[in-house]
Amino acid sequence: MRLALVFLVAVGLFLPTVRYSFVQDDRGIIAHSAAAHSVPAAIRAFDQAYWPPPARGGLYRPVTILTYAVDWELSAGASSWFHFVNAVLHGIVCVLVVLVLERWLPSVGAVAAGLVFAVHPVHVEGVASVVSRAELLVAAGLLAAVLAARRGWWVAAVVAATLAMFSKEHGVITGVVIMIDDWLRPAGTRRYPILFYASLAAVTLGYFGVWYAVGRGATADVASPFLGVGASGRLAVALPAILRAARLLVWPLDLSADYTPQVIPAPAAFGVAALVGAVVVLGVLLFALRTRRGAPALCFAAAVAALAYLPTSNLLFASGVVLAERNLYLPVLLVAVLAGMGALVIATRTLSYRRTVAAIAAVVLALSVRSALRLPVWRDNRALLTTTLAEHPESYRAHFSAAAVYAGMGEAAAARREYTVADSLFSRDPQLLAAWAYYLLGVGDTVRVADLVARARALDLRKPIALRASFLLDLRRRDCTRARALADSAQVWDPAEAAWYAAYLRGASGDCVRPSASQKTGVSVRLRGFNSDTR
């Protein structure tokens, strides 16, 4: 009964999303990717990066892609089914949360934690955005592996850990989480066998090897605030982002689909927010260590939260995001455990079942209302963009997206205005600068193109769209020598660009024409679009 309650609350909260469409990256990863349209295609894509070409985001998540392919075949590509499966997966994760915590918490505490985990507003992006399914799969695989290991189901635990890893990169923490769970085992229970840990280590190393071979392109996809800065500059942004993440977990009112500058500022030096963020990092680590004996559930939750957030925290290395609510899916476990322990305190002090249930219901209801009010933001791209612009006009990324929308609609004045606003808010995104230059070339305005391209390449010398814009500007100026040299360099840096440059050189006039290697060998070349959003 208790598990059914948690499952139904979790699924029921997100059932309205079945009316929603594919939003943002859902289109590039699912709707426009052949690998996500059939199971055989998904299996053939096991040696391909997560982002389909022409995107260059890299990453490696074959299990996630396989689930999309299954959904596509079952539903003929209906977004409603994808959203329904996400809701069900979220419900399964919440049930697993209860089962894992029942080792340390009485049923009332574990159920309270599971309910808070189910309805926490930070989960809206993690469930309502279809591509955030990777978070759900990692959580399900990780928690299932922990439970299987506790029962001595070693093969099942290794399989679950493997599924978590091949669903998203932070699944590699599964082995460490199992070690921590073993470390927190009750007195009198046996340690897990060495052969089991050796198997987990082998799978983890194997995943790292495959990821490096297939998905390492993600290492070049660095969030714009981290371009050209050292460790101190990276931490000056990362630590305030951690503080913001902690605030979202505890007080999830000011949610956002975007945390790029200036939603989270990108200062050049340490500030007060960075210092407080550092205190949060140290506090979580000390909290995990100090609660091992007195409150092992808190120790476990704190460790999972820290490990799950670490790969995208930008503490050790720069990642492709400053902060994203989907990356807080597992860290919510810490808040959920605190809520569960709070329920136990109420039960102990009041000795009243009704008061305890009332307190739990009040918290769950408040969080559910906040989540339900947030859900419509993810209904479609229009709702997401307009809401972000209204709630966070300081988001340069939102204005950048608005510029692209206006450009596609042919509203030149509005597109120029939004590009200008985006650049005024944050001037160090080479993608923005290059896309702006590309747009101006398309409408025949070359006055600012050279400056924009120069600024973009100063931030990222080999940015493909910046190289394309520079190449097109050279062709417009009839500087064929420079255009051919740039085309040669671009194709050396990224062989996948050869088709695009060859197509343009074929269509150029005069001495700009020169057969490409693919033309010489008779290989057909097709002009392909450019995906400016690779993360």
Side-chain angles (χ1 to χ4, degrees):
M1 183 65 180
R2 72 193 191 288
L3 299 180
L5 172 65
V6 172
F7 178 81
L8 291 175
V9 168
V11 175
L13 176 62
F14 289 97
L15 273 183
T17 61
V18 299
R19 301 192 303 269
Y20 297 175
S21 60
F22 290 126
V23 178
Q24 281 196 327
D25 292 347
D26 295 350
R27 298 189 176 189
I29 295 295
I30 301 171
H32 299 156
S33 174
H37 294 175
S38 73
V39 172
I43 293 173
R44 289 194 298 270
F46 260 61
D47 61 347
Q48 298 175 20
Y50 177 66
W51 275 99
R56 296 165 179 80
L59 305 174
Y60 184 62
R61 303 169 185 176
V63 170
T64 302
I65 293 294
L66 181 59
T67 67
Y68 297 149
V70 171
D71 283 358
W72 192 279
E73 291 198 344
L74 290 174
S75 67
S79 61
S80 58
W81 177 258
F82 284 80
H83 284 292
F84 175 72
V85 171
N86 268 25
V88 171
L89 284 171
H90 177 56
I92 292 172
V93 171
C94 295
V95 168
L96 292 173
V97 166
V98 175
L99 293 175
V100 166
L101 294 180
E102 282 185 332
R103 164 176 274 190
W104 304 295
L105 300 180
S107 183
V108 64
V111 170
L115 289 172
V116 169
F117 189 90
V119 301
H120 197 287
V122 162
H123 285 335
V124 169
E125 179 179 345
V127 183
S129 170
V130 177
V131 292
S132 293
R133 178 178 299 181
E135 308 291 338
L136 309 176
L137 292 172
V138 169
L142 183 149
L143 296 173
V146 168
L147 289 171
R150 287 179 182 177
R151 289 160 173 74
W153 302 341
W154 311 121
V155 174
V158 172
V159 170
T162 302
L163 292 176
M165 294 180 207
F166 284 79
S167 294
K168 191 176 179 181
E169 288 72 16
H170 69 278
V172 297
I173 70 171
T174 304
V176 179
V177 171
I178 289 174
M179 290 180 64
I180 292 172
D181 189 61
D182 190 13
W183 180 53
L184 296 171
R185 70 190 183 283
T189 56
R190 297 179 58 184
R191 290 182 178 274
Y192 298 159
I194 295 297
L195 183 60
F196 171 58
Y197 282 120
S199 300
L200 288 174
V203 170
T204 304
L205 291 174
Y207 172 78
F208 275 124
V210 176
W211 189 92
Y212 180 80
V214 179
R216 68 178 182 274
T219 58
D221 184 23
V222 176
S224 53
F226 304 126
L227 290 172
V229 302
S232 61
R234 170 168 48 81
L235 293 176
V237 178
L239 290 171
I242 289 175
L243 176 61
R244 183 66 169 268
R247 195 181 83 190
L248 289 172
L249 292 175
V250 176
W251 193 251
L253 289 182
D254 188 18
L255 299 172
S256 175
D258 176 65
Y259 290 94
T260 57
Q262 298 299 325
V263 180
I264 292 181
F270 273 64
V272 175
L275 293 176
V276 179
V279 171
V280 171
V281 173
L282 294 175
V284 170
L285 294 177
L286 291 174
F287 185 75
L289 292 173
R290 294 289 297 271
T291 56
R292 178 199 172 187
R293 298 188 183 280
L298 277 178
C299 178
F300 178 83
V304 170
L307 288 169
Y309 187 70
L310 183 61
T312 56
S313 68
N314 300 298
L315 291 177
L316 304 181
F317 50 82
S319 74
V321 294
V322 175
L323 173 63
E325 290 169 11
R326 62 183 176 273
N327 294 333
L328 299 178
Y329 187 79
L330 269 173
V332 170
L333 184 63
L334 177 56
V335 178
V337 171
L338 287 170
M341 296 186 71
L344 291 176
V345 171
I346 294 173
T348 302
R349 291 184 177 181
T350 65
L351 298 177
S352 170
Y353 178 78
R354 287 187 177 182
R355 291 182 181 180
T356 303
V357 171
I360 296 171
V363 173
V364 171
L365 179 62
L367 293 174
S368 297
V369 169
R370 179 67 184 104
S371 295
L373 292 175
R374 183 67 183 172
L375 274 180
V377 173
W378 291 89
R379 182 176 61 250
D380 52 38
N381 279 335
R382 180 185 179 88
L384 188 63
L385 179 56
T386 55
T387 302
T388 304
L389 285 168
E391 294 179 344
H392 295 284
E394 74 277 19
S395 165
Y396 93 91
R397 188 72 181 177
H399 288 282
F400 180 11
S401 298
V405 171
Y406 282 126
M409 295 170 61
E411 297 187 19
R416 291 171 187 267
R417 181 188 70 239
E418 293 298 325
Y419 275 124
T420 302
V421 172
D423 187 38
S424 69
L425 289 169
F426 185 69
S427 60
R428 294 192 291 112
D429 184 352
Q431 186 77 16
L432 164 63
L433 299 171
W436 191 1
Y438 210 87
Y439 168 70
L440 292 176
L441 280 168
V443 296
D445 181 358
T446 61
V447 175
R448 296 196 60 185
V449 172
D451 174 63
L452 291 170
V453 169
R455 289 171 58 195
R457 295 196 65 193
L459 292 164
D460 187 346
L461 179 63
R462 301 181 180 184
K463 192 70 176 178
I465 191 173
L467 294 174
R468 289 185 178 194
S470 182
F471 169 80
L472 292 176
L473 180 62
D474 291 336
L475 288 183
R476 184 73 59 89
R477 292 173 170 175
R478 304 289 184 181
D479 190 346
C480 301
T481 301
R482 179 181 171 86
R484 286 198 303 268
L486 184 60
D488 289 341
S489 297
Q491 293 173 75
V492 169
W493 291 333
D494 187 352
E497 289 286 278
W500 189 89
Y501 285 98
Y504 263 96
L505 286 172
R506 279 206 312 273
S509 60
D511 59 352
C512 284
V513 179
R514 187 178 70 182
S516 66
S518 58
Q519 288 173 290
K520 292 176 182 178
T521 56
V523 178
S524 62
V525 178
R526 178 170 60 94
L527 182 63
R528 302 170 73 176
F530 187 87
N531 185 342
S532 63
D533 185 4
T534 58
R535 194 69 178 176

